[in-house]
Amino acid sequence: MKAAVYSRYGPPEVVEIQDVDRPVPEDNEVLVRIHATTVTAADWRMRKADPALVRIMNGLWAPKKARILGMECSGVVEATGGAVTRFREGDQVFGSTGFKFGTHAEYACLPEDGRLSTKPTNMSLEESAAVMFGGVSALYFLRKANVEAGQKVLIYGASGSVGVFAVQLAKHFGAHVTGVCSTANLDLVRSLGADEVIDYTKEDFSAAGRVYDVVVDTVGKSGFSRTLKVLKRGGIYARISGSGGVLGMLVGELRGMWISATGKAKVIGGVAKPTPDDLPFLKGLIEAGDLVTVIDRRYPLDEIVEAHRYAEAGHKKGHVVILP
Ligand SMILES: NC(=O)c1ccc[n+]([C@@H]2O[C@H](COP(=O)([O-])OP(=O)(O)OC[C@H]3O[C@@H](n4cnc5c(N)ncnc54)[C@H](OP(=O)(O)O)[C@@H]3O)[C@@H](O)[C@H]2O)c1
């Protein structure tokens, strides 16, 4: 099968299309013929080892464990392992391989009891591929921040993979949502349900005296000082993304711990931990018409280098989809 493989850390060009063996499903796995997958921030960070901690996870000098990137996909079940009972050949499915990666290829194997389900009835296969990474990450942090009805929530970075889901999920939980994005994305963020939008190219979100219960920063650019200025005392600052490499992450963690200890605000961060309930929860919202995904660009697998380049530039609207 064709797959996008990388054998050294570096720029988008380190990813090459190669012929590799088609994976064979274990007893509890299904083999999915991939219809669509995405290039996310996790993929380009793994590819360029940014932050350097990636090397501990995937090989110190060169990528070892995951050499085919891609964390989420949709497609059609081509074969099933002997013990599989929930899926059969021909099922249209969507799901995530998580940190095992491997979906930037024509086929991938996913465990039947993992993050895999028949696709939402009201979404195309292409759209279904672009749900799990952003949806699960946003859900994890909103739940950790205890977002609830009546709260004022600011989503800083409302138009990327995580942002588009954070806006919709915060609205679903009953919050009054303000989304921060650039001029070109104001209408998109409004269309996702944001009650207010702030154009960061024209206005500093911390300047107008607004106060929030929760600030969710999906891009690592809201900054501690500006965020503390708009958070009510004891409010929650969810830092989904930090900034400044390993040192910046460490300084951010320490500063967050100090602020939390003073009681000024509770700072939360770390890596999203999916739960078994996430996928059925997101699928339920999609089928109820309460959650949509956003696709910015589509690329064939052969143009994966260009897709990495575009995703890494940091200004995609929702998702970049790959069609193997
Ligand atoms: N902690 C975790 O478990 C976890 C999970 C998922 C993702 N992440 C991290 O979260 C970050 C975001 O991921 P993502 O997939 O959502 O990224 P993405 O899709 O690439 O997000 C890009 C968005 O960020 C916006 N943006 C860029 N600069 C901005 C600024 N100065 N102010 C406000 N918005 C700005 C862009 O909007 P404009 O074009 O309008 O600027 C664009 O829509 C990544 O660093 C990723 O590694 C962490």
Side-chain angles (χ1 to χ4, degrees):
M1 68 167 184
K2 273 203 301 187
V5 181
Y6 82 128
S7 44
R8 62 191 169 91
Y9 297 114
E13 293 73 23
V14 300
V15 181
E16 291 173 342
I17 302 299
Q18 294 181 7
D19 272 317
V20 301
D21 290 341
R22 188 195 285 192
V24 178
E26 304 272 330
D27 256 14
N28 67 333
E29 288 183 334
V30 303
L31 175 70
V32 177
R33 169 71 174 96
I34 295 178
H35 178 86
T37 174
T38 62
V39 175
T40 67
D43 298 315
W44 64 255
R45 286 188 180 288
M46 287 287 285
R47 188 249 302 147
K48 65 186 287 201
D50 173 12
L53 290 174
V54 161
R55 291 173 185 269
I56 295 172
M57 200 175 120
N58 201 31
L60 218 46
W61 310 115
K64 280 204 176 127
K65 272 195 192 156
R67 294 180 59 231
I68 300 173
L69 295 170
M71 278 183 135
E72 56 185 352
C73 68
S74 65
V76 177
V77 173
E78 177 110 348
T80 56
V84 169
T85 56
R86 287 179 52 220
F87 299 96
R88 63 172 70 151
E89 220 180 287
D91 281 351
Q92 295 195 325
V93 294
F94 78 124
S96 169
T97 50
F99 284 106
K100 277 183 74 184
F101 291 88
T103 64
H104 290 169
E106 289 178 318
Y107 294 88
C109 288
L110 287 90
E112 72 157 340
D113 55 354
R115 278 165 272 163
L116 183 68
S117 170
T118 51
K119 77 166 182 66
T121 48
N122 54 344
M123 257 191 182
S124 66
L125 275 172
E126 198 173 293
E127 292 169 316
S128 311
V131 170
M132 292 298 287
F133 174 77
V136 167
S137 305
L139 184 59
Y140 172 80
F141 283 98
L142 292 180
R143 280 184 170 154
K144 207 167 168 197
N146 295 319
V147 168
E148 55 186 41
Q151 285 188 325
K152 293 205 159 194
V153 175
L154 179 94
I155 310 290
Y156 190 92
S159 54
S161 294
V162 181
V164 296
F165 285 110
V167 169
Q168 297 176 82
L169 290 170
K171 278 307 292 177
H172 173 75
F173 292 137
H176 181 277
V177 176
T178 301
V180 181
C181 58
S182 66
T183 318
N185 293 325
L186 294 173
D187 286 345
L188 167 69
V189 174
R190 267 193 214 103
S191 77
L192 297 172
D195 301 285
E196 293 177 47
V197 286
I198 298 175
D199 181 347
Y200 73 82
T201 68
K202 299 202 171 121
E203 191 186 342
D204 177 350
F205 73 94
S206 69
R210 302 175 178 96
V211 177
Y212 300 93
D213 299 283
V214 177
V215 173
V216 178
D217 182 359
T218 74
V219 287
K221 292 184 178 168
S222 61
F224 275 100
S225 311
R226 291 194 299 163
T227 303
L228 289 181
K229 205 165 139 192
V230 302
L231 262 184
K232 74 169 197 195
R233 187 167 175 83
I236 294 181
Y237 180 18
R239 299 176 71 237
I240 298 184
S241 181
S243 54
V246 176
L247 185 64
M249 278 168 64
L250 190 66
V251 171
E253 282 300 310
L254 291 174
R255 198 164 170 190
M257 282 161 69
W258 170 248
I259 291 163
S260 299
T262 64
K264 248 192 215 168
K266 186 175 171 198
V267 182
I268 57 179
V271 178
K273 292 175 195 67
T275 71
D277 160 58
D278 295 343
L279 190 150
F281 180 80
L282 294 171
K283 184 179 167 185
L285 288 186
I286 291 166
E287 290 184 337
D290 286 345
L291 197 64
V292 297
T293 192
V294 175
I295 296 178
D296 182 348
R297 293 191 181 182
R298 298 159 181 82
Y299 295 87
L301 186 62
D302 288 342
E303 291 175 23
I304 189 118
V305 169
E306 192 44 50
H308 267 264
R309 199 173 288 128
Y310 183 62
E312 188 183 337
H315 293 286
K316 62 186 172 65
K317 300 175 205 298
H319 303 84
V320 163
V321 165
I322 301 292
L323 299 165

